[in-house]
């Protein structure tokens, strides 16, 4: 059985155990790794993520006969003890926040679909996934988008990828309490296999960029997890908004480097560094896109190095062990590829975009790092996957 077949079997089994019935449909949405454009989405800039071949699967079916008119029921197989992670809520009454994050992803999605003027029909779902949780690979976005797709399709709404992404984002913003941007959900909803997704976070226009066949995308998990991610993330976002307000622009996307430098003297030094990261990072998206398509590993090495240093020094979202690991991998790769912190930071993963035959160099760098590390780092190469879709099962 392959990875996806195992996941489908788990979702099906969880559904049977929870509801004593068979699911009728299955839906999937992938996690993502961002290649360039970090902490840029909520500044209306450009980003370049790709979906990975790890995903959330939702098994869905009709409600129990006696609750046909009102109830939405969910069971999350990766949360809590077997079958302890269950939730149900009334679709006719106003939907309120639940007790924990996963319930709020589900409730928030159903509520947000309502805000778009649509009605989710009563249904039952079981959710299972294999996107590593808390690693910066967007397990939450995969979860939210998979639930949104299941709700949309099961209720015959046929919502397009941008709306699926927006309702999953609204759920995070308003129900879960994270002021995340739109990148993760758009990558999960709209990615194209073997491509990265160039996304304009202001207009939500997308352009799939082919990834040169000589390149491999390796995610290096530092194993470091931090709980303060949400509060620190929300703080960074607030700082960016203050910097934009200082310059009288709608978002930092509208600021150029010359204007930033001219106004630097009157700007708080922390806000200046935050803005410098965002302006520089937006400018790095295009060269990385070109390098990806052309397989130009030397250019990837150069631009991703700059990006890492900017995240570490100006945006302050790295940690000393992560910088050490990034240094070791960059040194081992030389001009064979680039490496940088990916995702929100404060722990999580590095991403390396490098020549396929550079896997040995990455592995050696990891070995050297792990000798002195408190938490060992691990590496995994992912295939750039396609976005959320119903799963068509034979028969
Ligand atoms: C998290 C957020 C995204 C984005 C990244 C940083 O993944 O959910 O919206 O801001 O961090 O680029």
């Amino acid at each position: 059985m392959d990875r996806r077949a195992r996941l489908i079997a788990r979702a099906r089994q969880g559904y049977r155990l929870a509801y004593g019935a068979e699911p009728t449909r299955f839906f999937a949405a992938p996690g993502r790794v961002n290649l360039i454009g970090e902490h840029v989405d909520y500044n209306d800039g450009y980003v370049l993520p790709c979906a990975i071949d790890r995903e959330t699967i939702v098994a869905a079916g009709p409600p129990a006969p006696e609750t046909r008119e009102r109830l939405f029921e969910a069971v999350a197989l990766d949360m809590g003890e077997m079958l302890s992670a269950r939730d149900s809520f009334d679709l006719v009454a106003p939907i309120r926040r639940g007790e924990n994050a996963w319930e709020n992803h589900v409730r928030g999605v159903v509520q947000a679909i309502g805000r778009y003027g649509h009605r989710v029909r009563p249904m039952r779902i079981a959710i299972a996934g294999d996107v590593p949780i808390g690693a910066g690979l967007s397990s939450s976005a995969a979860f939210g988008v998979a639930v949104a797709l299941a709700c949309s399709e099961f209720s015959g709404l046929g919502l397009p990828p941008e709306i699926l992404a927006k309702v999953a984002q609204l759920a995070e913003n308003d129900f879960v309490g994270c002021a995340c941007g739109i990148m993760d959900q758009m990558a999960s909803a709209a990615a194209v296999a073997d491509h990265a997704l160039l996304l304009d976070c202001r207009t939500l226009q997308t352009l799939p960029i082919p990834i040169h066949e000589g390149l491999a995308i390796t995610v290096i998990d530092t194993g470091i997890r931090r709980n303060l991610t949400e509060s620190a993330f929300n703080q960074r976002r607030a700082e960016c908004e203050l910097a934009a307000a200082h310059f009288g622009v709608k978002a930092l996307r509208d600021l150029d480097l010359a204007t930033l430098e001219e106004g630097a003297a009157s700007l708080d030094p922390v806000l200046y560094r935050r803005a410098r990261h965002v302006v520089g990072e937006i400018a790095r998206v295009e060269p990385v896109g070109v390098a990806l398509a052309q397989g130009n590993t030397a250019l990837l090495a150069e631009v991703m190095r700059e990006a890492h240093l900017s995240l570490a020094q100006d945006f302050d979202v790295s940690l000393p062990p992560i910088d050490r690991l990034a240094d070791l991998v960059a040194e081992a790769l030389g001009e064979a590829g680039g490496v940088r912190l990916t995702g929100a930071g404060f722990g999580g993963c590095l991403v390396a975009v490098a020549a396929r035959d550079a896997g040995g160099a990455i592995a050696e760098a990891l070995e050297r790092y792990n000798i002195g590390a408190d938490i060992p780092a691990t590496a995994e190469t992912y295939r750039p996957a396609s976005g959320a879709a119903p799963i068509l099962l034979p028969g």
Side-chain angles (χ1 to χ4, degrees):
M1 230 198 273
D2 70 2
R3 183 197 61 77
R4 174 177 259 194
R6 273 199 304 275
L7 211 51
I8 293 173
R10 221 159 83 68
R12 184 196 295 279
Q13 189 66 1
Y15 190 99
R16 283 179 182 147
L17 286 168
Y19 309 121
E22 282 297 310
T24 53
R25 298 187 68 184
F26 292 85
F27 303 92
R32 67 94 189 94
V33 57
N34 187 22
L35 306 181
I36 195 75
E38 217 63 84
H39 288 280
V40 153
D41 59 350
Y42 53 82
N43 291 299
D44 276 3
Y46 294 90
V47 295
L48 190 61
C50 75
I52 58 173
D53 52 340
R54 295 291 182 278
E55 60 197 342
T56 298
I57 302 268
V58 173
E66 67 276 12
T67 58
R68 205 169 281 282
E69 296 310 314
R70 307 181 73 100
L71 273 198
F72 190 102
E73 292 187 74
V75 54
L77 300 164
D78 306 310
M79 314 287 161
E81 300 285 307
M82 163 110 92
L83 298 188
S84 66
R86 289 185 72 160
D87 189 29
S88 71
F89 51 93
D90 192 331
L91 287 166
V92 179
I95 299 171
R96 307 202 186 287
R97 295 178 62 150
E99 274 173 15
N100 52 52
W102 82 263
E103 292 175 4
N104 284 323
H105 281 289
V106 177
R107 289 171 177 230
V109 160
V110 175
Q111 204 254 11
I113 291 177
R115 278 161 68 181
Y116 274 88
H118 303 292
R119 204 170 236 284
V120 173
R121 285 198 199 134
M123 61 192 286
R124 296 186 290 195
I125 60 173
I127 311 152
D130 64 1
V131 185
I133 294 175
L137 297 176
S138 292
S139 57
S140 304
F143 191 102
V145 171
V147 171
L149 177 66
C151 291
S152 164
E153 294 300 303
F154 206 82
S155 302
L157 304 175
L159 301 177
E162 309 82 65
I163 304 294
L164 297 176
K166 281 189 181 170
V167 300
Q169 183 200 20
L170 275 174
E172 288 223 26
N173 291 168
D174 298 346
F175 267 64
V176 181
C178 177
C180 67
I182 192 72
M183 168 173 72
D184 308 344
Q185 294 79 7
M186 274 299 288
S188 182
V192 175
D194 300 321
H195 290 67
L197 193 71
L198 178 60
L199 168 68
D200 178 339
C201 298
R202 176 165 276 168
T203 64
L204 297 194
Q205 263 187 306
T206 58
L207 179 68
I209 306 285
I211 299 176
H212 191 277
E213 60 186 13
L215 297 174
I217 293 172
T218 303
V219 173
I220 302 165
D221 190 347
T222 64
I224 302 171
R225 305 282 183 264
R226 285 190 129 193
N227 291 332
L228 59 99
T229 308
E230 251 160 45
S231 56
F233 182 91
N234 292 351
Q235 185 198 352
R236 291 297 179 284
R237 183 168 180 160
E239 288 165 350
C240 289
E241 281 163 10
L242 283 175
H246 176 88
F247 287 98
V249 291
K250 183 161 176 272
L252 287 180
R253 177 212 178 116
D254 304 311
L255 189 66
D256 58 43
L257 201 55
T259 315
L260 172 64
E261 295 305 339
E262 276 163 29
S266 59
L267 183 61
D268 172 274
V270 170
L271 299 188
Y272 167 72
R273 286 193 289 119
R274 303 297 188 251
R276 186 167 63 179
H277 164 75
V278 173
V279 173
E281 184 76 356
I282 292 174
R284 283 186 279 271
V285 173
E286 193 181 322
V288 168
V290 170
L292 260 191
Q294 294 182 338
N296 184 340
T297 56
L299 185 56
L300 287 168
E302 183 189 323
V303 184
M304 290 177 79
R305 181 74 194 153
E306 274 175 26
H308 182 86
L309 293 176
S310 177
L311 281 172
Q313 294 164 6
D314 279 350
F315 219 67
D316 281 327
V317 292
S318 190
L319 297 167
I322 299 178
D323 291 340
R324 200 171 84 80
L325 183 53
D327 286 350
L328 285 170
V329 176
E331 199 188 315
L333 284 174
E335 292 200 340
V339 62
R340 66 172 197 87
L341 178 62
T342 184
F346 316 105
C349 295
L350 298 172
V351 61
V353 186
R356 283 200 175 277
D357 58 11
I362 295 176
E364 275 169 33
L366 249 69
E367 260 175 48
R368 261 195 284 157
Y369 170 83
N370 284 342
I371 293 169
D374 291 338
I375 307 173
T378 53
E380 182 118 28
T381 297
Y382 292 107
R383 197 179 60 76
S386 53
I391 298 177
L392 303 173
L393 294 175

